[in-house]
Amino acid sequence: MSATAIVKVTGENCLEWARLCCELWPDASPEEMLDGFLSGQNDYEYLYKSEDCYVAFIGLSVRKEYVEGKEGTAPVGYIEGIYVKPEYRGKGIARELAEFAKVWCVKNGLTMLASDCLIENSASRSFHNSIGFEEANVNVHFIMKI
């Protein structure tokens, strides 16, 4: 791929980011995503730009609270979301974004990177395992309407 870049989400490109977020999380609206971004809830959001088009994103955070599999009390870098448009999958973009996340963690003094996915998301589980993540635990959550 030529002319690619990973760029920080800013006021100029946040609508593109919000649209990609809604492809990953279809229950969210672009307005909700933009409200969160503009209120400072999403400080570490990055877009992957190929040629003149935004085709992927990664959302990162620093989690200080409990993280499954975390060692010690130090904060952990966390992949809150990673998404590549279907027509761009299989080109190494998600792997490149994950490598970016590892470098981001080191620059921010973090020694661990964590992530999660739904148990039924076999593609995401396979991806995470293929880039070096180890499954820390598998949880099943229950709910009952009364």
Side-chain angles (χ1 to χ4, degrees):
M1 253 184 181
S2 61
T4 62
I6 298 172
V7 298
K8 189 156 179 46
V9 175
T10 65
E12 293 176 11
N13 59 20
C14 62
L15 184 56
E16 296 292 333
W17 166 81
R19 288 181 183 138
L20 287 170
C21 288
C22 291
E23 290 182 34
L24 177 61
W25 299 299
D27 291 338
S29 72
E31 295 77 23
E32 288 174 303
M33 298 307 300
L34 287 172
D35 286 347
F37 176 76
L38 296 172
S39 69
Q41 294 174 21
N42 308 92
D43 289 336
Y44 308 112
E45 301 294 326
Y46 299 89
L47 286 162
Y48 188 96
K49 189 173 188 177
S50 176
E51 301 297 333
D52 291 328
C53 184
Y54 295 109
V55 301
F57 82 92
I58 188 166
L60 302 169
S61 69
V62 177
R63 290 196 180 182
K64 298 176 182 170
E65 71 281 0
Y66 176 79
V67 171
E68 196 74 48
K70 177 174 129 174
E71 298 172 357
T73 59
V76 172
Y78 207 90
I79 298 176
E80 298 292 346
I82 185 168
Y83 176 77
V84 178
K85 287 177 150 274
E87 61 270 29
Y88 290 89
R89 293 180 187 163
K91 300 177 189 257
I93 294 171
R95 183 176 295 274
E96 193 175 334
L97 287 168
E99 287 299 318
F100 173 85
K102 290 174 12 183
V103 171
W104 179 88
C105 283
V106 170
K107 286 181 179 176
N108 285 282
L110 306 168
T111 59
M112 291 189 83
L113 178 62
S115 185
D116 63 63
C117 72
L118 296 174
I119 194 168
E120 67 269 12
N121 191 341
S122 58
S124 182
R125 287 178 81 181
S126 177
F127 167 72
H128 281 83
N129 286 316
S130 76
I131 64 169
F133 278 99
E134 297 176 16
E135 289 189 14
N137 201 352
V138 177
N139 293 317
V140 177
H141 300 263
F142 297 94
I143 192 164
M144 178 189 295
K145 290 185 180 182
I146 301 178

